[in-house]
Amino acid sequence: MGIKELPDNDLAWRMGQLAKDGERGSGPFEQYAEELYSRYAKQAVNLSCYYGLRIDDANDAVQTAFIKAFRSIASYRKDKVFKNWFFKIVLNCVRDSYNQKKRNFHSDIDDVEIPNEHFSKEFHISMSIRGIINELPDKLKEVLILKVYTGMSIEEISRATGVSVRQIHNRINQAYTVVKKKIEEEELI
Amino acid sequence: MNFQEQNDVERLLLDHTIEEKIVDFHTIWGYYKDAERSKEVPMSGKKGGAKVAIWLSLFAIVAVAGWFGMTKYTAMKQQQTLESGNAMLVTLIVGDVEVKKSGSGDWTALYVDDVLKMGDEIKTADESYCEIQMIGRGIYRLESGTEMALSQLENVNGAVQATMTLNSGQVALKPEKLHEGETFQVETSTAIAAVRGTRFSVAVNGDGDTSVAVAEGTVAVAPNVTAIDDAANRGLVSQGAADTLQEQLVGTTPVTAGEELNVMTSSVKTLDAALTTAIETTVSNSGAITEDKLTAPDSPTGQSEVVLAVRDMAAADVAAATGTTAAPDVPLGSVVATRRAISEQALAILDQVTEDKIIQNVVEMVKVAVNSQPQGAVVFVDGVRVGTTPYVQIVQKNSEIALTLTADGYNDYNQTYKVDANTRMNIVAVMDRVNVPVSTTVSVEPTNAEVAAVTTTVAGTAEQVAAVSTTTTTVKQILPGDLLWNKSIAFVSETKDPVTYRGTMFATVGNKLYVISPNGTVLKTVTVIDSGTLTKPTVGDGLVFVGSDGGGVWAFDTSGNKVWSKSDAGKEMMGGVSPVAGSGIVAVPSIDNGISVYDSQSGATVAHISEPQQIFSKPLIVNGGKILVYAVEQGDVIGYDLQAKTELWRKKIANRIIMPILGNDSAAVVFDRDSGTFYGLNPSTGDQVWSKVLAATVKTTYYPVYISGKILVISKEADKVYVLYAKTGEILLNKTIAGISSYPFVSGEWVYVGTSSGGVYGFNYSSGASWSKTVSGAVSMISADDNGVYALTAGTVTGFAR
């Protein structure tokens, strides 16, 4: 079975075994790491942006999350769902970065992005939706992002966040209701 | 919002997703390699001795300053977390209490001062209980046999949201007056009890029946029905309508002070089924139930036609099933609950959760440790029985505690202490023996040089004097490794692998079982069999068990009183084999009759595993007593399903297995002594999870020991001590100690070991801290509890502070 066909938990477990054997920087370790990166980097960056981070900060947070995951891969247990384990790390990194940015928030004139030729109607809708999601209370925002942009199931989100399944149901429902209402109010669609 | 509407929103969001550019993998890989390299701290080039010394000194200064800084930082962070309501503090533990941290699969021991967060689970064993506090906000007390999860514990925009899921047992709680938007609730499979500033308890039995008792204020109890949520998820009911239906059909039942409300699982299921049928019927007649249909009041009760229709149908079904008819203006939820006066038992538990116990802030809490001689004395604080020594509790600084200790054969010890220490206060009480005959006059010197002591002149033999000296101990900071006391005892030191359990040591020699206090006093000697040899003792489920080379098994309580015995268990191989107990069963392996499994409390036969091959090793009970993992001498390891009474798996692991199977639900650890290889197996499947070769352990004569998730391995022959993490095989400690002569003992993060030259060593495998002391003679046994480390040499026990 080639690397592409290996399930996530198998890849992660193999990396863990290599790490335990002192082979953290080896060729196979890097190959497995690259495969996991190709599977989840985009989802992780999307999650970070929808959480409220700018793209540079999102890439930094995701980079930190991957490095943390690779360095602690020896503690990964094969019977765990890799996605839950990994996105728990991502969420922690994103939260840290977001809280830090929120505290130190300031906007230099040089940082302000000037609308350019990409500023189309579609771009306006998408950015507005992202803004609506950014502004949700953290507990609603987290479950919505995990559900929509990582494709995790309710049960998986419950495990990754430590919140009961019932609560996740309620939060998703609340989050969707708020988002729908705001989209309608702003007449985006 | 129904399922379809949710799908529509999700699709809309996905359609308008902005795909951001991500950095390429090789950039991240470069950073990862840098991070790994920085861990290695390369030392390139040779440096002169002076330069190296200067660099090392500078490094040491920076490291020490950094350590203090980090410690301070960590403490501050912890304080913030606790005071914000995002975590809870363990303030009292009595008996065996375990925690499963969020994201971990393992239960590990919980200690006073531990911090609990959202997603953590706690369970208390029989005769055990604990108190946890949300600083400045409330106190929870978990009674024995309780399993509870901290499902939600977070500060959301300044409002604390606390939901505990009670799976079994009983919890009593007293929250402070809550602020706007804050939630304190306890959820079981059948009911949700929500509160604002009151005092109440929730209990759930094995069938899920829930009982809510209230001592102050009012609690709103709602049966935990899922029919309406399910209907909303299926699109039969809109979300807005679901909330209205929940309120009007199910509702909450108020429970006031002095009342107890019982919610039966069977009744909740009946109501759930009735509501499901009624909703489906209504929807098939008149379409999905939406908010519009619920707005116009069509009845004197203000309920709409649809609600009335669903209610009538469901009420009829419930009445048919239970014989109880709901009054028209009462929500159906009240039908499934029965009310009565609060029980004495519930009141007694609620008396333990009072407002004055709630710690107001982190900097004002003090850890109070109480120990006594003799150990095991019953402790009363402010007249309330709180446990036995050794006892630890966290209390508010500058509070006063009236301490009373009682023990059979001793005068009561009464003393009031003002808790004015900054962080920790140690109290060691030496109790006076009652009515000791005296004949000669002897002056008694204090036995503990480290503790300020006042002695009186008494009369008696030297042994009696030790007992009658009225030593009043004052409070003093004791450091790890400090001598506590040193006492000569008349006890045989030829014990086989003694075990320490609930503050008492148990050991067997020949046909006798000895019950020994940690300070070396033989409390009881039991002649178990007329002839033959007993196995080493094993403990679990509150009892002590021994087998014998002639067959049979005996169960004793922790005072050494026989509880039951069985003669049909097979003969046990001497050495590493002993019965194994836990999760309500005891399994007795044998060389001639397979494995006999009994109910640990009654001795009733649970199963018998026919195994034609000889068993030389102690088995392992996992998965709450559902699976037994054992090995036969010829090297096969077997997983046996005790419920289905079938073999789950059988794997050939080694040529010969004679060492005990150790571990927990995460890994069954098998030791091949011939090759020095340890294998971690998945207990459910037998799949190998990890393996580790420790060459120094080849042919070791000491049996590995399991304590709190760790495997302790020593090789007297190679002067080695290892601690392995059972789950992963990771080596937590690797020490070389010459002349090891005792089994090591693990307590918390500390490992203790004794040597033939009288060395007593303590190592912390987490912080790297260590200490060593010397006693006279070879150390044959070592054990520890919350307050001391006890080293046994021929005829003497010495106690050191941890």
Side-chain angles (χ1 to χ4, degrees):
Chain A
M1 191 185 280
I3 285 180
K4 294 274 174 212
E5 285 81 47
L6 282 176
D8 295 343
N9 64 337
D10 212 346
L11 282 171
W13 180 76
R14 284 168 190 234
M15 287 175 74
Q17 297 307 304
L18 288 167
K20 286 175 189 167
D21 295 339
E23 301 283 335
R24 282 179 180 279
S26 67
F29 189 91
E30 184 181 351
Q31 285 172 355
Y32 297 142
E34 186 169 7
E35 178 57 26
L36 283 175
Y37 185 79
S38 73
R39 292 184 193 182
Y40 291 112
K42 193 161 262 183
Q43 286 181 7
V45 170
N46 274 344
L47 180 153
S48 313
C49 289
Y50 278 91
Y51 202 100
L53 293 179
R54 293 158 54 102
I55 179 64
D56 293 345
D57 296 328
N59 266 309
D60 283 351
V62 169
Q63 177 179 298
T64 308
F66 269 105
I67 291 172
K68 275 189 179 174
F70 294 160
R71 293 188 70 174
S72 56
I73 199 80
S75 68
Y76 171 76
R77 264 185 22 214
K78 202 177 180 181
D79 58 349
K80 281 191 173 272
V81 177
F82 173 78
K83 203 168 168 180
N84 299 353
W85 182 80
F86 173 66
F87 275 106
K88 207 169 182 175
I89 297 174
V90 174
L91 210 49
N92 282 335
C93 293
V94 171
R95 271 192 207 126
D96 287 349
S97 176
Y98 180 74
N99 291 333
Q100 194 187 356
K101 295 284 177 297
K102 209 163 54 174
R103 274 198 299 279
N104 305 325
F105 182 78
H106 65 275
S107 220
D108 290 339
I109 190 70
D110 295 343
D111 292 342
V112 177
E113 289 172 16
I114 310 294
N116 55 24
E117 64 274 15
H118 301 300
F119 190 83
S120 62
K121 189 183 173 200
E122 168 55 31
F123 186 73
H124 168 72
I125 294 170
S126 301
M127 284 305 283
S128 301
I129 288 177
R130 184 185 281 186
I132 289 168
I133 293 172
N134 285 175
E135 284 168 16
L136 286 172
D138 288 354
K139 65 177 186 176
L140 300 187
K141 182 162 62 179
E142 280 180 18
V143 291
L144 179 141
I145 294 169
L146 289 172
K147 179 79 171 61
V148 177
Y149 301 106
T150 71
M152 288 167 84
S153 69
I154 302 285
E155 287 72 23
E156 286 173 341
I157 297 171
S158 166
R159 275 184 228 116
T161 56
V163 179
S164 71
V165 168
R166 186 188 166 89
Q167 281 286 347
I168 300 286
H169 266 297
N170 289 342
R171 288 184 188 185
I172 283 178
N173 198 16
Q174 282 180 49
Y176 284 10
T177 306
V178 174
V179 169
K180 186 171 179 238
K181 192 165 163 244
K182 288 259 173 87
I183 288 174
E184 284 165 1
E185 277 172 9
E186 295 184 22
E187 297 180 346
L188 290 175
I189 308 292
Chain B
M1 186 179 279
N2 65 31
F3 186 64
Q4 187 53 48
E5 286 171 322
Q6 283 191 4
N7 263 347
D8 291 345
V9 174
E10 199 166 314
R11 176 53 44 207
L12 177 74
L13 298 182
L14 282 172
D15 286 347
H16 296 282
T17 303
I18 303 171
E19 292 292 342
E20 295 287 1
K21 190 173 182 320
I22 60 170
V23 297
D24 71 295
F25 171 74
H26 296 288
T27 308
I28 288 205
W29 184 248
Y31 285 122
Y32 167 73
K33 297 275 277 186
D34 287 347
E36 282 296 317
R37 267 196 294 275
S38 68
K39 222 171 46 172
E40 292 164 13
V41 193
M43 190 98 165
S44 55
K46 286 187 177 177
K47 288 186 170 61
K51 275 186 182 172
V52 171
I54 291 166
W55 278 109
L56 284 176
S57 306
L58 282 171
F59 176 74
I61 291 165
V62 171
V64 169
W67 183 81
F68 277 112
M70 282 305 291
T71 307
K72 184 82 181 161
Y73 176 75
T74 309
M76 280 171 58
K77 287 290 284 181
Q78 184 130 312
Q79 181 179 341
Q80 282 170 5
T81 310
L82 281 168
E83 290 183 351
S84 68
N86 283 310
M88 295 178 83
L89 183 74
V90 180
T91 55
L92 171 66
I93 296 272
V94 174
D96 297 333
V97 183
E98 291 185 312
V99 62
K100 185 155 76 174
K101 301 298 282 183
S102 172
S104 157
D106 287 341
W107 289 100
T108 53
L110 185 68
Y111 299 98
V112 167
D113 217 11
D114 281 355
V115 170
L116 300 166
K117 291 189 177 170
M118 185 157 88
D120 293 349
E121 294 171 56
I122 318 170
K123 69 176 176 188
T124 57
D126 292 346
E127 298 172 18
S128 305
Y129 60 88
C130 72
E131 285 179 4
I132 57 178
Q133 292 208 24
M134 197 181 292
I135 300 298
R137 287 187 166 86
I139 179 170
Y140 290 73
R141 181 184 166 103
L142 280 71
E143 290 299 313
S144 63
T146 295
E147 200 167 324
M148 187 178 91
L150 283 65
S151 303
Q152 190 185 16
L153 185 64
E154 55 186 334
N155 184 321
V156 181
N157 301 325
V160 172
Q161 307 295 316
T163 300
M164 305 294 146
T165 302
L166 183 67
N167 298 318
S168 61
Q170 185 167 20
V171 59
L173 58 148
K174 165 66 193 164
E176 290 270 31
K177 198 155 183 63
L178 304 187
H179 302 116
E180 186 63 32
E182 293 194 325
T183 310
F184 254 63
Q185 61 182 27
V186 178
E187 190 176 291
T188 72
S189 58
T190 50
I192 301 163
V195 66
R196 288 181 66 81
T198 184
R199 192 155 56 101
F200 72 109
S201 71
V202 179
V204 58
N205 68 14
D207 295 329
D209 300 344
T210 300
S211 171
V212 179
V214 180
E216 284 174 20
T218 305
V219 175
V221 180
N224 202 349
V225 296
T226 56
I228 296 169
D229 277 352
D230 288 346
N233 288 335
R234 288 160 58 201
L236 304 179
V237 174
S238 74
Q239 189 56 47
D243 292 342
T244 310
L245 284 182
Q246 184 78 27
E247 192 185 317
Q248 297 189 355
L249 292 174
V250 181
T252 57
T253 306
V255 191
T256 54
E259 289 184 332
E260 199 167 321
L261 194 81
N262 294 309
V263 183
M264 308 288 283
T265 305
S266 54
S267 305
V268 174
K269 281 184 178 167
T270 302
L271 177 58
D272 238 343
L275 284 171
T276 302
T277 309
I279 290 169
E280 285 172 351
T281 309
T282 305
V283 170
S284 71
N285 291 339
S286 53
I289 302 174
T290 59
E291 284 171 82
D292 300 342
K293 293 182 181 174
L294 302 183
T295 47
D298 297 321
S299 76
T301 58
Q303 292 175 337
S304 65
E305 194 178 326
V306 171
V307 171
L308 289 172
V310 174
R311 188 185 187 287
D312 287 348
M313 269 186 274
D317 282 358
V318 170
T322 65
T324 311
T325 307
D329 55 346
V330 174
L332 294 176
S334 62
V335 178
V336 298
T338 54
R339 199 183 295 267
R340 66 178 183 202
I342 192 167
S343 67
E344 288 295 322
Q345 187 256 355
L347 269 178
I349 290 164
L350 285 164
D351 279 348
Q352 301 299 318
V353 287
T354 50
E355 188 154 6
D356 59 329
K357 273 190 171 182
I358 300 172
I359 294 169
Q360 293 306 319
N361 59 58
V362 171
V363 289
E364 289 189 16
M365 63 191 205
V366 181
K367 194 169 179 178
V368 177
V370 181
N371 205 350
S372 66
Q373 193 180 341
Q375 211 170 45
V378 179
V379 183
F380 294 81
V381 173
D382 301 330
V384 177
R385 182 183 168 138
V386 288
T388 54
T389 57
Y391 169 80
V392 183
Q393 183 173 4
I394 290 179
V395 299
Q396 178 87 17
K397 187 176 176 179
N398 289 327
S399 58
E400 279 198 348
I401 54 169
L403 187 68
T404 300
L405 304 182
T406 64
D408 288 346
Y410 291 83
N411 289 325
D412 288 357
Y413 178 96
N414 291 297
Q415 187 79 41
T416 299
Y417 292 95
K418 178 155 187 174
V419 183
D420 53 4
N422 280 331
T423 54
R424 186 182 170 93
M425 184 164 143
N426 292 319
I427 297 170
V428 183
V430 180
M431 301 172 71
D432 305 335
R433 199 183 278 279
V434 179
N435 298 330
V436 176
V438 292
S439 58
T440 55
T441 302
V442 182
S443 289
V444 181
E445 293 296 323
T447 53
N448 182 356
E450 300 296 327
V451 175
V454 180
T455 60
T456 58
T457 301
V458 296
T461 64
E463 267 193 346
Q464 288 163 346
V465 165
V468 298
S469 61
T470 53
T471 306
T472 308
T473 307
T474 57
V475 179
K476 186 179 184 306
Q477 184 72 31
I478 299 173
L479 301 172
D482 283 356
L483 181 72
L484 287 177
W485 40 258
N486 177 303
K487 184 180 176 188
S488 293
I489 54 161
F491 177 68
V492 190
S493 60
E494 304 157 5
T495 60
K496 283 191 303 221
D497 314 340
V499 292
T500 303
Y501 188 54
R502 297 190 176 175
T504 307
M505 282 188 270
F506 302 91
T508 52
V509 179
N511 59 346
K512 292 186 174 59
L513 169 71
Y514 291 89
V515 183
I516 314 150
S517 76
N519 65 10
T521 306
V522 179
L523 302 172
K524 192 163 187 171
T525 304
V526 186
T527 302
V528 181
I529 46 178
D530 294 335
S531 61
T533 307
L534 295 173
T535 64
K536 61 183 180 181
T538 194
V539 291
D541 296 341
L543 298 172
V544 181
F545 303 89
V546 291
S548 95
D549 59 354
V553 59
W554 291 260
F556 297 90
D557 65 19
T558 50
S559 302
N561 303 312
K562 191 171 97 175
V563 179
W564 57 264
S565 66
K566 299 290 277 189
S567 57
D568 57 352
K571 296 174 181 173
E572 294 198 53
M573 178 68 189
M574 287 299 101
V577 163
S578 66
V580 59
S583 301
I585 57 170
V586 55
V588 188
S590 74
I591 53 175
D592 62 346
N593 191 23
I595 298 179
S596 303
V597 184
Y598 305 98
D599 181 296
S600 61
Q601 302 303 304
S602 67
T605 300
V606 171
H608 181 81
I609 304 171
S610 296
E611 177 57 65
Q613 302 188 63
Q614 297 168 332
I615 299 167
F616 280 17
S617 65
K618 181 177 169 178
L620 173 69
I621 298 167
V622 289
N623 287 23
K626 295 189 184 76
I627 296 176
L628 187 77
V629 181
Y630 68 95
V632 295
E633 194 220 349
Q634 287 83 345
D636 285 356
V637 181
I638 300 99
Y640 190 89
D641 185 333
L642 286 169
Q643 287 185 330
K645 297 191 172 44
T646 53
E647 192 172 297
L648 285 174
W649 51 267
R650 180 179 285 257
K651 303 267 165 125
K652 174 86 174 171
I653 297 293
N655 291 326
R656 186 163 185 265
I657 296 176
I658 59 170
M659 292 294 191
I661 313 287
L662 304 169
N664 49 33
D665 288 358
S666 304
V669 181
V670 180
F671 175 33
D672 176 7
R673 179 176 168 267
D674 294 335
S675 66
T677 309
F678 290 79
Y679 299 91
L681 307 182
N682 179 327
S684 302
T685 62
D687 292 343
Q688 186 181 314
V689 182
W690 58 265
S691 70
K692 184 81 70 185
V693 179
L694 297 176
T697 63
V698 172
K699 302 290 182 192
T700 180
T701 49
Y702 279 72
Y703 296 97
V705 181
Y706 173 88
I707 300 177
S708 300
K710 287 110 198 166
I711 307 286
L712 198 54
V713 193
I714 63 174
S715 171
K716 185 167 78 170
E717 296 77 7
D719 296 331
K720 277 287 191 186
V721 178
Y722 298 99
V723 177
L724 301 181
Y725 191 30
K727 191 159 74 166
T728 61
E730 182 189 350
I731 297 175
L732 300 173
L733 182 80
N734 175 354
K735 287 279 176 191
T736 303
I737 299 169
I740 297 167
S741 57
S742 79
Y743 268 92
F745 194 91
V746 180
S747 180
E749 294 177 338
W750 285 87
V751 178
Y752 306 100
V753 66
T755 69
S756 55
S757 56
V760 178
Y761 296 85
F763 303 107
N764 186 308
Y765 55 73
S766 179
S767 69
S770 65
W771 55 262
S772 66
K773 295 284 170 179
T774 308
V775 295
S776 176
V779 178
S780 58
M781 183 185 112
I782 202 153
S783 71
D785 59 23
D786 276 353
N787 294 291
V789 180
Y790 311 101
L792 173 70
T793 56
T796 302
V797 170
T798 307
F800 299 97
R802 287 191 58 176

